[in-house]
Amino acid sequence: MPPSATNLTNDEQMLLVNESLNTIRQQTIQMKKLLDVKGKSMESLKPASTLLSELRTSNLSPKNYYELYVSIYDSLEYLGNYLKDNYPSKNLSNLYELVQYAGNIIPRLYLMITVGTVFMSVPDAPVKEIMKDMIEMCRGVQHPIRGLFLRYYLSQRTKNLLPIFNDPANGTLQDSVNFIITNFIEMNKLWVRLQHQGHSKERKKRISERQELQILVGSNLVRLSQLEGVDKHYYKETILPAILEQIIQCRDMIAQEYLFDVIIQVFPDEFHLYTLRELLDSTISLIPQVSLKKILITLLERLTTYIDRESLDGIQALTINGKTDDEEGVEGDETAEKTHNKKILEKAEEKEATVTEGTATEESKTQTKDENIDVEALFNIFYSHFIKLNKVRPDLTIDDITALYYSLSKLSLSYYPDNFENVDLIYSETLNRYNELKDTVESSNALTEENLKNILLLPLNFSSLVSNDVSKKEKLNLKLLLNLKNYQSLLSAQSSKVQVSISNEILKTLLSNKFKLENEEQIEKVFQVLDSIISNKETITVAQDLKVEEINKRSENAGGEVNEYPYETSVKQENLAKLFHLIYNSNPIAHSKLLSTAQAFVSQKKNKLTKFLYPSLIFDYLKLIKRLHFRIGKVSQKSMNFSPELKSELIASYELELKSVFQKVSKLADELYNQGELELSLKLLISISETSNAIGNNGFTNEFFIKIYSIYEEMISSKQQYQIIMQLISTLITFYKSFQNGTNSDKENYDLLITKAVLYSARLLKKPDQCRAVFSASHLWFQSTVLASTDPSAPSTDASAEENDNKRILECLQKSLRIADSCIESSVTVELFVEILNECIYYYIHSNFIDANYINNLIELIKTNLSEVDDLPIKHFKRTCEYIARQKEIDERFQLVRY
Amino acid sequence: MSLFFKAPLDIEVRLSGEDTRKHVEVKNKNGRKEKLPLYEDGESVKGQVTIRVKDGRRVEHLGIKIQLIGTIDTNNDGLNFDNFLYLVQELSAPAELNHPENYSFEFKNVEKQFESYRGTNVRLRYYLKCIVLRKSADVIREKELWVYAKQNPPDTPTTVKMDVGIEDCLHIEFEYSKSRYSLKDVIVGRIYFLLVRLKIKHMELSLIRRETVGSGANQISDSQTLVRFEIMDGAPVRGETIPIRLFLRGYDLTPTFRDVNKKFSTRTFLSLVLIDEDARRYFKQSEIILYRD
């Protein structure tokens, strides 16, 4: 029969379990009955022993065995309580002997422990000897599972009975500690032994069995941590060395990993801080299969959260912010001390001297805090340990190393939020290690990548680590970023994929926090960090990915326009473009400089991204122009506090800046133009001209428009041309006012511009486009009339000029009619006619240079052609007629119109 | 005999202070338990014999006497009796009885050098025998006593250490606190496992009483396991120490007798038994001296 459970299936085991449970139940009833009969209470030991024999089975898995254990525990507890209440305590020692006659060791020891613990609980019992005896006799059970449960029973039963006072007669704390540690050592041995018994093919099963049993072993450590009266010195001197020795000696992976974890979890943080060196040193002696990463990270995380938990408890010894609020009395002192501590943290060099002082005051107040020396050195301890690890454990893989460094940096940031040197150190070390291990398999696996990403994203996540204070969030993360000298080098060591994802992450955060970039340093850092997306590393990789996709999609896309950038990429570019909007400085001139700095970063790259970035940059410049303009206005208006010289100086500098910004903007547009982005460049120029118009600089406007025309002439696609012409016309219309208010040369320029526009309209390729452009252009001459009617203060144009304009309008209309007529398809012709009719009606309503006859003729013309056309123009015509009918009701002039 | 002729007399032997005397429970041949009054070496045996006449008849006798006999019964070579103690007292000269009569007796400071014993092939017993002599059949009444012979510890205690094993398979060392134990004692010891290549399932300790009767060609021995006591469950590994503790008080053990009246001996062996997973047993026996104090 194999020593560990069993080849039985779980169902078979369940049958056994149920049988055993039945027996246990019956024997328990029997036992209780006998206990109630006077004078026969001793006979109750017999059923007790019988029910305990059920625990002798070898056929159950740990889980099923546990079921029996639980049931039996209850029975024995009943027995124990009965004995405690009813049995004369002076006879307990006899009873303790009596139960040892049981022939089988399992029932014997369970009974012994039951009676022994009852005995321990009575006054004046030889507690120490009983403890010693029980723990010694338990050695008789060498079967792993049975032994573990037996010793667990011992541990459970003695839980509240172990002496914690130093009473040499009845046992001391030392005895209790030895007791638990001995039990722990023996249990661990049994537990480890389980691994080495039975067939090697059942290894997996045994591992899972062991995991089911681990909590039994760990419970001893929990018990140790619950012992009252253990202070950290005692822990360091006595408890920890004993535990560690056993853990190291057992040379078993599961045990070492699990037990370290338990140590870290169950003992108080103060203990860990106090024994950190010992704990770390011992990890070196663990067997190589143990994941140091797991252990160390658990420890790091425990200590990291410690600082948070501490601050929740209100014992803030090391606070994140050294604010000296005006608190009173004791609290005031405390804050002062906080500041003091913080200073210590910052002054890394002069530590030694000040620390002792700081600790002294601390100690006097909260005794739990006297481990400050360790807190100070915490980072260094870990760091030097990691360095040591590199030497003694060359087998550590880069994914483990990076994970460790990530945790360490979190710890550092929690404890020393203002100490960036630590983190920087980690960055440089990480980089070193990464370079050393670059060629290993692990260096490119997902884990490593993930860890490195985490490390690099620290500046983003760290604020949430340290404090929940939202207001502080923004400042911290950039400050950290700015202070990490090695950030950039570590970042650029990564694969472009990683770089891009980090950059994107940072970018997203910056945007979502509406973080303001206020000085050049910040801009430089940010743009450096985002270098990977700016220099378009992603599109390279994306393009590679795309190739594959394209092959798949070729059939679908064959005819369609192939988009250069996939949708997702352009979203990312959009984010990047948004970045410019974050740049802000209250001083417009400084702001302009910042924008130039940013621009420099983008321009260097000279890649296609500019197409996405420049527009946004240009609009930022334009916004800046408006601000400058506004400033100028403000300064010149209410400038009582400025001396006139200063005032003019200011204005001059603003004007100068304004000019240079315009130059920059136009240069940007030129660059786009040079890159072949004609349409984009043209449209941007339109926006620029609008801005220059808005601030009343006709000269600039004119020039920009000339540029626009010159670009326009190079454009080939008629579709684009038509739309641009329309846009130009509408833009020009809005410029009318400022040009008319300007100098004579401005007016002339304007005339030139609009004439040119009409000329372009007439030169469009397609007839309908021509026609529509021309009649739209007619409005260019209609401005004076409109202004006169809407704005009485508008400059009165002389009648001749107006007549001249009206003539021009009529010419345009005539021309468009001709063009429409020359169209071959009658439907198109009629549609265009109807559209012209609408224009005429508009003019008819707003002025009187068109008479009703003109309209009637046009209507007649349409009607004659109506028979040969399809629905669309007919409907349009009908609607127009309906409109005329309605107009008749409100405008008697329309009575003259017939249809 | 008494089946055919009902004895006309009733004899009752009463020991003085019998109610308060300590009794010992012993199993008789039929396996039933009986209680016998306990005496020690050198203790006087006294009491009273009451003789009643049945049915108011008158009975003549040739005298009444009481004997105290110590005897060893063996059956190794046919049934054999050997009295090592024989004391007798006259209670009455020949007379006629017609009413109940009491007679006191006393054997002063009787030397009882051996302890009572009931074994498989031998028993050693003490009894009082009251005889009413008659012309026809005598009327006899017996009453058994139990004797504990206390001894001084035979020698000074020494620890017993032994080193046993099977080559390349098992090597253990065991240690008992001493080689002789009083019957109320505790055997304490430990077992060190120096090499374990067997798949041990459990280990037990047993106490075996060996009774030897006679000598030479007629000698017969009989062994009986009195105690079985599991001391280890499961397989130990190298370096383990298993504690031994066995209370003797609760068991029915016999002190070590050597050549009691050149008739028989009883010895006790402590046996350590290892049982492996294939139910093979490996054992090592060593004698322990038991004595009564």
Side-chain angles (χ1 to χ4, degrees):
Chain A
M1 213 192 299
S4 73
T6 173
N7 298 317
L8 300 180
T9 64
N10 200 42
D11 288 348
E12 287 169 321
Q13 288 190 29
M14 286 318 291
L15 277 178
L16 288 179
V17 169
N18 287 333
E19 251 172 59
S20 293
L21 286 177
N22 261 334
T23 314
I24 293 169
R25 218 169 292 131
Q26 283 165 9
Q27 294 297 327
T28 306
I29 293 168
Q30 185 73 11
M31 178 187 85
K32 289 181 180 174
K33 236 188 237 164
L34 286 168
L35 282 175
D36 289 338
V37 180
K38 229 187 167 162
K40 283 205 166 179
S41 55
M42 280 316 89
E43 284 174 40
S44 65
L45 292 177
K46 210 162 183 192
S49 159
T50 314
L51 68 90
L52 278 166
S53 294
E54 296 300 325
L55 285 180
R56 298 179 66 208
T57 177
S58 291
N59 293 322
L60 300 180
S61 69
K63 233 175 168 171
N64 292 328
Y65 192 83
Y66 181 70
E67 283 209 32
L68 299 191
Y69 174 83
V70 169
S71 161
I72 280 176
Y73 185 89
D74 291 343
S75 306
L76 291 182
E77 186 157 45
Y78 183 89
L79 177 65
N81 288 339
Y82 178 89
L83 291 176
K84 195 174 174 193
D85 296 342
N86 301 310
Y87 203 79
S89 53
K90 61 179 191 298
N91 289 344
L92 276 170
S93 69
N94 291 334
L95 187 61
Y96 186 64
E97 182 184 319
L98 185 66
V99 292
Q100 293 185 48
Y101 283 102
N104 285 314
I105 188 160
I106 292 280
R108 183 196 317 147
L109 289 175
Y110 273 96
L111 284 173
M112 215 175 113
I113 293 168
T114 310
V115 177
T117 46
V118 172
F119 196 9
M120 277 171 81
S121 70
V122 303
D124 298 327
V127 174
K128 188 174 165 178
E129 273 149 52
I130 300 170
M131 277 161 61
K132 227 172 146 185
D133 191 57
M134 291 192 299
I135 195 99
E136 185 61 24
M137 295 315 282
C138 281
R139 284 178 191 276
V141 181
Q142 294 287 326
H143 183 278
I145 295 177
R146 292 196 286 270
L148 281 170
F149 276 98
L150 175 73
R151 287 179 177 277
Y152 183 59
Y153 181 69
L154 177 64
S155 162
Q156 273 192 305
R157 291 288 303 187
T158 51
K159 189 173 171 184
N160 297 318
L161 299 169
L162 296 177
I164 50 168
F165 305 108
N166 282 339
D167 173 4
N170 286 324
T172 59
L173 180 64
Q174 177 76 46
D175 294 323
S176 304
V177 169
N178 289 343
F179 178 80
I180 299 175
I181 290 179
T182 310
N183 203 33
F184 163 72
I185 290 174
E186 292 303 322
M187 279 175 92
N188 189 43
K189 281 189 197 161
L190 291 173
W191 187 44
V192 172
R193 198 184 298 165
L194 186 58
Q195 191 70 51
H196 305 288
Q197 294 185 340
H199 244 280
S200 53
K201 67 178 175 193
E202 289 171 333
R203 207 172 149 263
K204 249 194 192 144
K205 191 175 114 189
R206 277 198 304 274
I207 288 177
S208 80
E209 282 184 1
R210 286 192 61 199
Q211 275 158 355
E212 285 168 16
L213 289 165
Q214 65 185 18
I215 193 162
L216 303 186
V217 185
S219 70
N220 285 297
L221 299 182
V222 176
R223 204 71 81 226
L224 273 177
S225 74
Q226 288 166 341
L227 272 184
E228 272 173 51
V230 171
D231 64 12
K232 62 184 183 182
H233 303 289
Y234 188 72
Y235 172 76
K236 182 178 183 169
E237 300 301 324
T238 313
I239 296 180
L240 190 64
I243 302 175
L244 288 179
E245 194 193 344
Q246 169 59 25
I247 295 176
I248 289 165
Q249 270 179 5
C250 75
R251 302 187 58 76
D252 176 87
M253 186 189 80
I254 301 177
Q256 293 190 336
E257 279 187 10
Y258 172 72
L259 293 172
F260 252 95
D261 191 50
V262 174
I263 291 181
I264 292 167
Q265 301 299 349
V266 300
F267 290 106
D269 307 272
E270 290 90 355
F271 288 15
H272 292 318
L273 287 174
Y274 192 62
T275 58
L276 196 55
R277 284 198 180 86
E278 287 81 355
L279 205 56
L280 288 177
D281 285 346
S282 64
T283 59
I284 292 175
S285 319
L286 299 178
I287 59 170
Q289 292 91 316
V290 169
S291 160
L292 281 185
K293 176 182 91 173
K294 240 197 228 157
I295 293 171
L296 291 172
I297 287 181
T298 318
L299 181 60
L300 282 165
E301 267 165 15
R302 163 100 202 214
L303 292 176
T304 305
T305 51
Y306 168 58
I307 195 89
D308 297 345
R309 274 178 280 130
E310 279 298 276
S311 37
L312 281 181
D313 293 346
I315 325 168
Q316 281 176 304
L318 298 155
T319 49
I320 295 146
N321 53 340
K323 271 187 263 169
T324 38
D325 294 336
D326 284 313
E327 290 171 79
E328 280 172 29
V330 190
E331 283 179 0
D333 289 348
E334 200 174 74
T335 348
E337 208 166 67
K338 284 178 200 166
T339 353
H340 180 58
N341 273 335
K342 192 199 156 211
K343 272 184 208 149
I344 297 169
L345 286 177
E346 283 169 349
K347 283 188 259 170
E349 279 81 40
E350 303 165 341
K351 230 186 275 178
E352 304 284 315
T354 14
V355 164
T356 28
E357 195 191 316
T359 342
T361 41
E362 196 74 271
E363 224 165 3
S364 60
K365 204 164 60 176
T366 47
Q367 285 175 336
T368 50
K369 278 284 122 194
D370 54 351
E371 74 281 359
N372 262 8
I373 291 172
D374 287 311
V375 172
E376 301 295 332
L378 192 57
F379 175 80
N380 290 330
I381 294 175
F382 271 112
Y383 185 71
S384 51
H385 179 70
F386 285 178
I387 299 289
K388 195 152 97 192
L389 271 188
N390 291 341
K391 286 191 198 112
V392 293
R393 288 289 299 272
D395 56 316
L396 278 183
T397 55
I398 185 71
D399 50 344
D400 285 358
I401 294 170
T402 45
L404 287 175
Y405 282 131
Y406 173 55
S407 293
L408 178 58
S409 35
K410 278 201 293 193
L411 175 102
S412 170
L413 288 172
S414 302
Y415 277 81
Y416 327 100
D418 296 323
N419 185 339
F420 305 120
E421 282 148 33
N422 285 347
V423 186
D424 204 33
L425 202 59
I426 294 172
Y427 273 71
S428 85
E429 185 57 25
T430 311
L431 181 61
N432 289 342
R433 302 291 294 154
Y434 181 70
N435 285 335
E436 275 169 44
L437 297 168
K438 214 164 196 163
D439 301 327
T440 55
V441 191
E442 291 85 3
S443 76
S444 54
N445 71 10
L447 264 176
T448 315
E449 234 168 56
E450 185 63 36
N451 292 331
L452 284 167
K453 252 193 222 174
N454 282 335
I455 293 180
L456 286 167
L457 288 176
L458 268 174
L460 296 190
N461 304 330
F462 142 72
S463 43
S464 58
L465 249 169
V466 172
S467 131
N468 300 323
D469 190 350
V470 185
S471 64
K472 233 182 296 172
K473 207 168 175 177
E474 283 129 49
K475 268 188 188 165
L476 282 169
N477 84 41
L478 198 68
K479 210 166 150 197
L480 179 62
L481 191 61
L482 291 176
N483 281 290
L484 295 175
K485 295 189 200 75
N486 290 304
Y487 190 89
Q488 197 53 40
S489 34
L490 182 60
L491 180 64
S492 25
Q494 308 310 310
S495 72
S496 53
K497 204 174 119 206
V498 175
Q499 285 191 38
V500 166
S501 95
I502 288 166
S503 301
N504 278 328
E505 206 57 43
I506 292 178
L507 182 58
K508 238 166 42 197
T509 316
L510 285 171
L511 292 175
S512 64
N513 286 343
K514 300 223 164 53
F515 194 93
K516 287 222 162 31
L517 300 169
E518 286 173 315
N519 58 48
E520 275 185 52
E521 200 191 350
Q522 289 176 333
I523 289 175
E524 270 173 33
K525 194 78 191 182
V526 167
F527 275 87
Q528 268 172 22
V529 167
L530 300 181
D531 185 67
S532 62
I533 16 184
I534 297 173
S535 35
N536 214 6
K537 282 188 180 159
E538 187 181 37
T539 32
I540 300 164
T541 50
V542 168
Q544 282 163 352
D545 293 346
L546 265 185
K547 263 181 207 160
V548 188
E549 260 175 70
E550 253 179 315
I551 293 165
N552 300 337
K553 285 190 176 175
R554 190 169 287 168
S555 54
E556 299 168 38
N557 275 356
E561 214 174 311
V562 179
N563 196 347
E564 210 176 332
Y565 298 95
Y567 171 72
E568 221 172 291
T569 323
S570 52
V571 168
K572 280 173 189 162
Q573 314 310 354
E574 191 184 310
N575 281 338
L576 194 56
K578 278 184 193 162
L579 185 63
F580 293 110
H581 302 325
L582 294 181
I583 298 171
Y584 181 81
N585 193 303
S586 52
N587 181 345
I589 296 175
H591 189 164
S592 156
K593 239 185 221 138
L594 296 182
L595 282 176
S596 315
T597 318
Q599 184 194 338
F601 271 99
V602 179
S603 305
Q604 280 166 14
K605 309 295 175 198
K606 294 220 181 306
N607 57 24
K608 296 214 165 180
L609 261 184
T610 42
K611 175 178 153 185
F612 295 99
L613 302 185
Y614 278 4
S616 142
L617 187 58
I618 286 174
F619 279 106
D620 273 319
Y621 273 131
L622 293 181
K623 230 156 66 188
L624 178 66
I625 287 171
K626 282 180 191 154
R627 263 180 71 202
L628 280 166
H629 181 66
F630 180 68
R631 275 289 175 97
I632 295 170
K634 220 163 121 189
V635 170
S636 50
Q637 267 174 27
K638 46 144 202 174
S639 48
M640 305 319 269
N641 13 6
F642 293 121
S643 66
E645 298 90 53
L646 188 65
K647 188 169 125 188
S648 54
E649 207 175 293
L650 258 176
I651 291 174
S653 71
Y654 284 152
E655 299 266 6
L656 201 68
E657 191 60 40
L658 200 103
K659 218 167 172 181
S660 88
V661 171
F662 265 120
Q663 276 162 6
K664 280 181 201 161
V665 170
S666 111
K667 219 178 122 205
L668 286 177
D670 279 353
E671 264 181 54
L672 282 175
Y673 166 78
N674 289 336
Q675 284 176 18
E677 298 290 342
L678 299 186
E679 188 185 352
L680 182 64
S681 147
L682 190 143
K683 283 181 177 161
L684 287 170
L685 277 169
I686 293 176
S687 301
I688 296 168
S689 68
E690 273 166 347
T691 311
S692 69
N693 178 58
I695 65 166
N697 194 327
N698 292 338
F700 281 155
T701 318
N702 190 37
E703 228 152 89
F704 289 134
F705 244 85
I706 290 166
K707 232 178 215 166
I708 291 170
Y709 283 150
S710 72
I711 296 173
Y712 174 79
E713 282 174 12
E714 285 181 35
M715 292 181 65
I716 304 152
S717 158
S718 62
K719 185 105 183 166
Q720 274 177 6
Q721 280 186 336
Y722 170 69
Q723 274 164 2
I724 288 166
I725 279 291
M726 295 305 273
Q727 201 182 348
L728 289 176
I729 290 170
S730 57
T731 314
L732 281 171
I733 288 172
T734 61
F735 290 175
Y736 176 82
K737 191 173 166 186
S738 50
F739 273 89
Q740 288 310 311
N741 290 346
T743 60
N744 276 335
S745 74
D746 281 342
K747 286 181 191 165
E748 276 166 32
N749 284 337
Y750 189 72
D751 266 346
L752 268 171
L753 290 178
I754 57 179
T755 320
K756 199 90 177 166
V758 180
L759 215 63
Y760 286 139
S761 312
R763 277 199 211 136
L764 285 170
L765 188 63
K766 289 182 189 162
K767 288 272 164 60
D769 290 349
Q770 272 180 23
C771 171
R772 287 188 179 114
V774 169
F775 71 66
S776 303
S778 69
H779 287 273
L780 287 169
W781 284 280
F782 193 60
Q783 292 311 304
S784 53
T785 326
V786 176
L787 282 175
S789 59
T790 52
D791 184 359
S793 69
S796 53
T797 44
D798 49 292
S800 66
E802 195 182 324
E803 211 167 293
N804 198 22
D805 287 350
N806 291 344
K807 220 172 94 195
R808 284 285 193 49
I809 297 170
L810 278 173
E811 268 173 28
C812 287
L813 291 176
Q814 269 320 114
K815 190 165 186 186
S816 56
L817 276 173
R818 267 203 306 280
I819 298 167
D821 198 35
S822 67
C823 286
I824 297 161
E825 275 176 71
S826 50
S827 299
V828 177
T829 309
V830 173
E831 170 61 24
L832 289 171
F833 281 163
V834 177
E835 281 172 29
I836 296 168
L837 172 63
N838 277 292
E839 291 298 323
C840 291
I841 293 168
Y842 171 82
Y843 286 127
Y844 186 70
I845 293 169
H846 293 284
S847 72
N848 41 20
F849 60 87
I850 284 181
D851 54 18
N853 244 351
Y854 192 89
I855 296 174
N856 290 341
N857 287 341
L858 193 49
I859 293 172
E860 276 310 311
L861 183 62
I862 295 169
K863 275 183 176 167
T864 53
N865 288 312
L866 219 48
S867 53
E868 306 154 39
V869 299
D870 41 76
D871 262 6
L872 212 67
I874 296 177
K875 277 184 184 161
H876 193 178
F877 179 63
K878 272 185 183 159
R879 282 200 303 278
T880 313
C881 292
E882 278 162 25
Y883 177 74
I884 295 171
R886 280 202 302 281
Q887 282 301 314
K888 279 185 180 192
E889 287 165 24
I890 53 167
D891 189 348
E892 54 182 28
R893 290 203 303 144
F894 268 87
Q895 300 304 336
L896 297 170
V897 178
R898 294 183 305 273
Y899 57 91
Chain B
M1 205 160 43
S2 52
L3 278 173
F4 306 107
F5 306 101
K6 248 191 177 170
L9 294 169
D10 258 353
I11 306 173
E12 190 192 7
V13 181
R14 285 192 54 83
L15 298 160
S16 42
E18 193 171 350
D19 295 340
T20 54
R21 179 166 288 273
K22 213 170 167 188
H23 281 68
V24 175
E25 224 174 48
V26 247
K27 269 185 194 162
N28 65 13
K29 271 186 202 154
N30 313 324
R32 279 213 205 102
K33 281 184 177 170
E34 55 182 323
K35 282 191 168 180
L36 300 177
L38 181 64
Y39 282 84
E40 282 178 18
D41 186 22
E43 203 179 344
S44 303
V45 179
K46 64 177 184 178
Q48 208 174 38
V49 176
T50 307
I51 298 180
R52 294 186 187 83
V53 189
K54 283 183 183 165
D55 309 329
R57 281 198 277 172
R58 183 184 280 263
V59 179
E60 263 181 41
H61 67 82
L62 303 171
I64 303 172
K65 56 182 176 180
I66 186 155
Q67 302 166 325
L68 176 59
I69 301 168
T71 180
I72 298 174
D73 311 349
T74 54
N75 61 356
N76 60 324
D77 187 15
L79 220 52
N80 227 321
F81 305 97
D82 173 48
N83 292 354
F84 56 87
L85 172 72
Y86 183 84
L87 298 170
V88 65
Q89 263 181 23
E90 290 287 337
L91 295 179
S92 165
E96 198 182 80
L97 287 169
N98 53 6
H99 56 88
E101 197 83 51
N102 287 332
Y103 307 97
S104 293
F105 65 92
E106 180 170 12
F107 300 99
K108 275 209 170 154
N109 304 332
V110 187
E111 188 201 2
K112 305 183 255 325
Q113 54 174 338
F114 306 124
E115 179 160 320
S116 301
Y117 172 69
R118 286 182 183 182
T120 321
N121 296 311
V122 60
R123 56 182 185 158
L124 187 152
R125 56 194 198 106
Y126 293 87
Y127 60 97
L128 289 162
K129 191 173 179 183
C130 179
I131 308 171
V132 180
L133 295 166
R134 292 182 64 204
K135 279 181 202 153
S136 55
D138 298 341
V139 182
I140 299 169
R141 178 82 191 174
E142 287 181 9
K143 184 177 178 79
E144 190 168 354
L145 313 175
W146 197 262
V147 172
Y148 276 169
K150 293 201 174 164
Q151 296 156 290
N152 291 322
D155 49 16
T156 47
T158 48
T159 53
V160 178
K161 255 192 183 172
M162 254 179 287
D163 210 5
V164 293
I166 309 163
E167 202 172 21
D168 291 334
C169 203
L170 181 75
H171 187 180
I172 61 177
E173 203 178 273
F174 56 86
E175 186 183 312
Y176 303 121
S177 54
K178 43 193 179 179
S179 55
R180 51 151 189 81
Y181 298 92
S182 120
L183 291 177
K184 293 178 204 155
D185 228 335
V186 192
I187 299 179
V188 176
R190 46 189 64 241
I191 296 161
Y192 305 101
F193 284 83
L194 300 171
L195 174 73
V196 194
R197 294 236 173 96
L198 290 175
K199 290 187 171 172
I200 299 172
K201 214 175 127 207
H202 60 105
M203 174 166 71
E204 57 188 40
L205 212 54
S206 42
L207 287 175
I208 298 162
R209 183 176 68 202
R210 186 180 299 156
E211 166 193 297
T212 317
V213 186
S215 57
N218 289 330
Q219 188 182 62
I220 54 168
S221 290
D222 177 75
S223 291
Q224 212 179 340
T225 302
L226 302 176
V227 177
R228 282 194 136 164
F229 194 70
E230 189 184 23
I231 55 168
M232 186 185 76
D233 174 30
V237 292
R238 221 177 97 162
E240 287 292 349
T241 309
I242 307 300
I244 299 173
R245 179 161 63 209
L246 177 60
F247 290 95
L248 298 177
R249 195 200 308 252
Y251 301 107
D252 180 24
L253 299 173
T254 314
T256 301
F257 301 142
R258 285 215 178 84
D259 281 340
V260 179
N261 221 23
K262 302 212 165 119
K263 289 284 180 192
F264 76 101
S265 307
T266 60
R267 297 158 71 187
T268 305
F269 293 87
L270 185 60
S271 174
L272 183 71
V273 190
L274 287 159
I275 297 103
D276 75 4
E277 281 176 8
D278 304 318
R280 280 189 293 257
R281 299 166 73 87
Y282 307 84
F283 63 92
K284 172 74 184 173
Q285 284 190 353
S286 53
E287 186 177 357
I288 51 169
I289 312 292
L290 296 178
Y291 63 93
R292 189 178 304 280
D293 63 353

